[in-house]
Amino acid sequence: MTRQNTPAPLTEIWRGSLLESQHHGHAVVCNGKGEIVHSWGNPDQVIYPRSSCKMVQALPLLTSGAAARYGLNSEQLALACASHNGARIHVDRVSRWLDQLELSEGDLRCGAQMPRDKEVMHGLIKTDDSPCQIHNNCSGKHAGFLTLAQHLGAGPEYVEIDHPVQQACHEAFEEVTGETSPTYGIDGCSAPNFACTVTGLARGMGWFASAHTRSTRSDEAAVQLRAAMAQHPELVAGEGRACTALMRDMGGKVSVKTGAEGVFVAILPEQELGIALKVSDGATRAAENAIAALLVSLGVLDKDSPSAKAYMSAAITNWNGIHCGEMRPAAELQF
Amino acid sequence: MTRQNTPAPLTEIWRGSLLESQHHGHAVVCNGKGEIVHSWGNPDQVIYPRSSCKMVQALPLLTSGAAARYGLNSEQLALACASHNGARIHVDRVSRWLDQLELSEGDLRCGAQMPRDKEVMHGLIKTDDSPCQIHNNCSGKHAGFLTLAQHLGAGPEYVEIDHPVQQACHEAFEEVTGETSPTYGIDGCSAPNFACTVTGLARGMGWFASAHTRSTRSDEAAVQLRAAMAQHPELVAGEGRACTALMRDMGGKVSVKTGAEGVFVAILPEQELGIALKVSDGATRAAENAIAALLVSLGVLDKDSPSAKAYMSAAITNWNGIHCGEMRPAAELQF
């Protein structure tokens, strides 16, 4: 494979009267039966969901009985699905979670990352401290992995591809996407990230969105996870982040999640719809713009809400605060 | 205009065995006569050069006689063409330049910007200080604008479109690109940025590259500016930046410059060639990758040099330092 198959226009960057840059990609909306309701670009494009599938990776934590055994609350479930800012609200809760497991920061395998949260980052800089693994945006997911590993009595190297934790994630991933994953990559946090088509990812989100209409253990887990995300938008990302802002503005009715390299997904339980999109060039700004446009088009996000204004019709200003241009969704995304 | 005309593949992002993301765009190589020698994508695509045309914006500073009158040295000329990190080597020199003009930071119109240089940025954070306009990556260009404004006896609002400084920049821009600019946008630093085709920008760089074969005042200015950039690569950008690393590895023989939204240019005096490229989606990583590939293909950058390894065949590693994938130029750029 050497070239993406006909990606569709997603996002336009205007400066003055000129279209300065443009993003293309693939987007699919699936219903609860896994049928495509809308699509743009190539629905069969194989992608890595990256962090957008954290709610899928969290399923075995619940279906195994680990979450119940350790009495995990909705905040912990939201953190298991999070790419967080490393703010105090995140770091403190993950620290307590590790305490609960009688484990420590050194048991994580996600690597140390400078947190995005300004207060915590500036605090580290002011004291010449280095960030630790708890600051890593994936530390909640990894606390979930450690909980499952402990529940299963499995070894400490929980990010290895043949570890029971990752085998369980693999199985859950193929179940909800309805596909055999053709390959996997190593993610930023060292966990395997299984590939699927954009349709497979949208099908998985449609499965989450319709889980309340079914009653298996997996379905109950899906309802718990999507509700935890929507209930704690600040834990899933943090201040100034698209996931948090969009979920707040949709009043707990929709769960959304970003992934690296331009992926975004959404779970719409009332409509029993799932969305997945991938920006071909990997740009986060376009993924945020396109998901906001699709949420507005599907009637779950008010076009005058703060997050729609921030991400869908975003003003581009310069160092003096002068309005230089704007980011707009392609006309095709507005239906 | 609603869509870029057939951009060509420029850069591939691989993770494991999967092409995760891909960048497309337009690139042109012109000779000293302004003829196209090579092209990829649409040579007629209209773009904003953004900061890649700072050496063009600096021409009137020399042709007007201002640089000679104020005795500007090669460091100042390099800074006039720079998008710098706001490191001490940059900030100190721009401060002294303003002193020389008997002006102060408040006379700049570029806006305050947190510097990219880690030492200076951490210093500001540690003392709870805010950055000032001298930290702005464009402060050298603006010191040049102020010098020209003073020389011309023009008013203080030197970024306004009808100010003599911007009129002179406009004239120089159309002269070297060989085009009538169809429009302009307001840049990050509030100065007008004139649009041209990718070919126009490459023609301008070819004009710079062949200036030593001609002898007008503009040609002499071009030779001085391109030499100042190549002689002081650390002043044009800074540590950890592609412009600086590439110019260092080419031993002062080639001048290169990046611009926001995925633009990169190069001036090759020995070959009398100019390069301009624009990544359609605006990604800097792809512009850096593509220019490195073209410089290797044109025989002026060693493929085993540190900058070629960093930008052309760049390993993608994660928070644990694990190799997850790599960035590669499209096969079409390697000839």
Side-chain angles (χ1 to χ4, degrees):
Chain A
M1 185 174 74
T2 57
R3 175 147 189 185
Q4 309 266 9
N5 185 14
T6 57
L10 295 183
T11 297
E12 301 173 353
I13 311 293
W14 290 81
R15 182 172 297 264
S17 60
L18 188 68
L19 178 60
E20 183 170 22
S21 301
Q22 193 174 23
H23 298 275
H24 291 73
H26 315 284
V28 173
V29 181
C30 274
N31 64 20
K33 297 175 195 163
E35 297 162 341
I36 297 176
V37 177
H38 302 280
S39 79
W40 299 261
N42 177 15
D44 298 327
Q45 181 68 40
V46 176
I47 64 166
Y48 290 123
R50 306 295 298 274
S51 289
S52 77
C53 70
K54 277 175 174 165
M55 74 293 281
V56 181
Q57 291 172 301
L59 282 169
L61 178 64
L62 284 77
T63 54
S64 67
R69 172 170 161 195
Y70 288 86
L72 300 189
N73 59 32
S74 63
E75 292 184 350
Q76 286 166 300
L77 298 187
L79 281 166
C81 304
S83 298
H84 64 68
N85 278 355
R88 287 198 188 155
I89 56 166
H90 309 115
V91 169
D92 291 352
R93 282 169 177 76
V94 173
S95 296
R96 286 202 301 270
W97 190 348
L98 292 174
D99 289 346
Q100 184 189 348
L101 299 173
E102 296 182 0
L103 294 174
S104 66
E105 182 265 353
D107 293 304
L108 292 169
R109 293 290 180 266
C110 47
Q113 178 189 12
M114 182 59 90
R116 191 191 286 244
D117 180 77
K118 204 168 167 181
E119 186 190 339
V120 175
M121 178 176 62
H122 285 193
L124 290 168
I125 290 169
K126 285 181 179 182
T127 52
D128 290 317
D129 278 335
S130 298
C132 73
Q133 297 192 90
I134 296 174
H135 294 109
N136 187 303
N137 79 87
C138 298
S139 67
K141 179 177 79 172
H142 283 246
F145 284 159
L146 281 168
T147 305
L148 178 57
Q150 202 168 84
H151 175 68
L152 298 174
E157 300 309 325
Y158 64 84
V159 294
E160 291 182 354
I161 186 70
D162 55 358
H163 188 279
V165 165
Q166 298 310 326
Q167 290 184 322
C169 287
H170 188 179
E171 195 178 325
F173 186 80
E174 294 194 339
E175 183 189 337
V176 309
T177 59
E179 294 179 356
T180 301
S181 174
T183 186
Y184 70 95
I186 300 301
D187 212 333
C189 69
S190 297
N193 194 255
F194 298 101
C196 65
T197 65
V198 181
T199 298
L201 188 57
R203 192 182 291 122
M205 297 306 112
W207 177 86
F208 265 86
S210 57
H212 59 281
T213 66
R214 303 179 306 264
S215 56
T216 69
R217 201 160 182 168
S218 291
D219 297 319
E220 286 165 13
V223 171
Q224 274 187 273
L225 287 166
R226 75 183 197 205
M229 293 173 69
Q231 190 185 343
H232 304 289
E234 72 288 353
L235 295 181
V236 175
E239 298 310 319
R241 297 278 302 283
C243 287
T244 299
L246 290 166
M247 287 195 284
R248 278 180 179 157
D249 283 348
M250 292 185 289
K253 293 185 173 181
V254 175
S255 308
V256 302
K257 184 71 191 71
T258 189
E261 290 292 329
V263 183
F264 228 113
V265 301
I267 298 166
L268 289 65
E270 285 183 14
Q271 292 75 11
E272 295 178 27
L273 294 176
I275 311 176
L277 68 86
K278 159 76 182 176
V279 181
S280 299
D281 60 70
T284 296
R285 67 178 180 183
E288 293 171 346
N289 179 260
I291 197 76
L294 292 179
L295 292 168
V296 167
S297 290
L298 288 167
V300 289
L301 178 67
D302 185 335
K303 71 173 174 45
D304 296 319
S305 64
S307 63
K309 284 184 179 165
Y311 296 104
M312 183 177 151
S313 51
I316 297 170
T317 56
N318 72 6
W319 301 114
N320 282 319
I322 296 171
H323 184 281
C324 300
E326 57 180 39
M327 182 161 65
R328 297 180 200 160
E332 292 87 336
L333 296 188
Q334 303 172 60
F335 57 90
Chain B
M1 185 173 73
T2 58
R3 178 148 187 184
Q4 308 268 7
N5 185 14
T6 59
L10 294 183
T11 296
E12 300 173 354
I13 310 293
W14 290 81
R15 182 172 297 263
S17 61
L18 188 69
L19 179 60
E20 183 169 22
S21 301
Q22 192 174 26
H23 299 274
H24 291 72
H26 315 284
V28 173
V29 181
C30 274
N31 64 20
K33 296 175 196 162
E35 298 161 342
I36 297 176
V37 177
H38 303 279
S39 78
W40 298 262
N42 177 14
D44 298 326
Q45 181 69 39
V46 176
I47 64 167
Y48 290 123
R50 307 293 298 273
S51 289
S52 76
C53 72
K54 278 176 173 165
M55 74 293 281
V56 181
Q57 291 172 301
L59 282 169
L61 179 64
L62 283 78
T63 55
S64 66
R69 172 172 161 193
Y70 288 85
L72 300 189
N73 59 31
S74 63
E75 292 184 350
Q76 288 167 299
L77 298 187
L79 281 166
C81 304
S83 299
H84 64 68
N85 277 355
R88 286 198 188 157
I89 57 167
H90 309 115
V91 169
D92 291 351
R93 281 170 177 77
V94 173
S95 295
R96 286 202 300 268
W97 190 347
L98 293 173
D99 289 346
Q100 183 190 347
L101 299 173
E102 297 182 357
L103 295 174
S104 67
E105 182 265 351
D107 293 304
L108 292 169
R109 293 290 180 267
C110 47
Q113 178 189 12
M114 183 59 89
R116 190 190 286 243
D117 181 76
K118 204 168 166 180
E119 186 190 338
V120 175
M121 179 176 61
H122 286 194
L124 289 168
I125 290 170
K126 285 181 179 182
T127 53
D128 290 316
D129 277 334
S130 298
C132 73
Q133 297 193 88
I134 296 174
H135 294 110
N136 187 303
N137 79 86
C138 298
S139 68
K141 179 176 81 171
H142 284 246
F145 284 159
L146 281 168
T147 305
L148 178 57
Q150 203 168 84
H151 175 69
L152 298 174
E157 301 308 325
Y158 64 84
V159 294
E160 291 182 354
I161 186 69
D162 56 357
H163 189 279
V165 164
Q166 298 309 328
Q167 290 183 322
C169 288
H170 189 180
E171 195 178 325
F173 186 80
E174 296 195 338
E175 182 189 337
V176 309
T177 59
E179 295 178 355
T180 300
S181 174
T183 186
Y184 71 95
I186 300 302
D187 212 333
C189 69
S190 298
N193 195 255
F194 298 100
C196 65
T197 65
V198 181
T199 299
L201 188 57
R203 191 182 292 122
M205 297 306 113
W207 177 87
F208 265 86
S210 58
H212 58 282
T213 67
R214 303 179 305 264
S215 56
T216 68
R217 202 160 181 168
S218 292
D219 297 319
E220 285 165 12
V223 171
Q224 274 187 274
L225 288 166
R226 75 183 197 207
M229 293 173 70
Q231 190 186 342
H232 305 290
E234 72 288 352
L235 294 181
V236 175
E239 298 310 319
R241 297 278 302 282
C243 287
T244 299
L246 291 166
M247 287 195 282
R248 278 181 179 154
D249 283 348
M250 294 185 288
K253 293 185 173 182
V254 175
S255 308
V256 302
K257 185 71 191 72
T258 189
E261 290 291 328
V263 183
F264 228 114
V265 301
I267 298 166
L268 289 66
E270 286 183 14
Q271 293 76 11
E272 295 179 25
L273 294 176
I275 311 175
L277 68 86
K278 160 76 182 175
V279 181
S280 300
D281 60 70
T284 296
R285 67 178 181 184
E288 293 172 345
N289 179 259
I291 196 77
L294 292 178
L295 292 168
V296 167
S297 291
L298 289 167
V300 289
L301 179 67
D302 184 335
K303 72 174 173 46
D304 296 319
S305 64
S307 63
K309 284 184 178 163
Y311 296 104
M312 183 177 151
S313 51
I316 296 170
T317 56
N318 71 7
W319 300 114
N320 282 318
I322 295 171
H323 185 281
C324 300
E326 57 181 37
M327 183 161 64
R328 297 178 199 161
E332 292 87 335
L333 296 188
Q334 302 172 61
F335 57 90

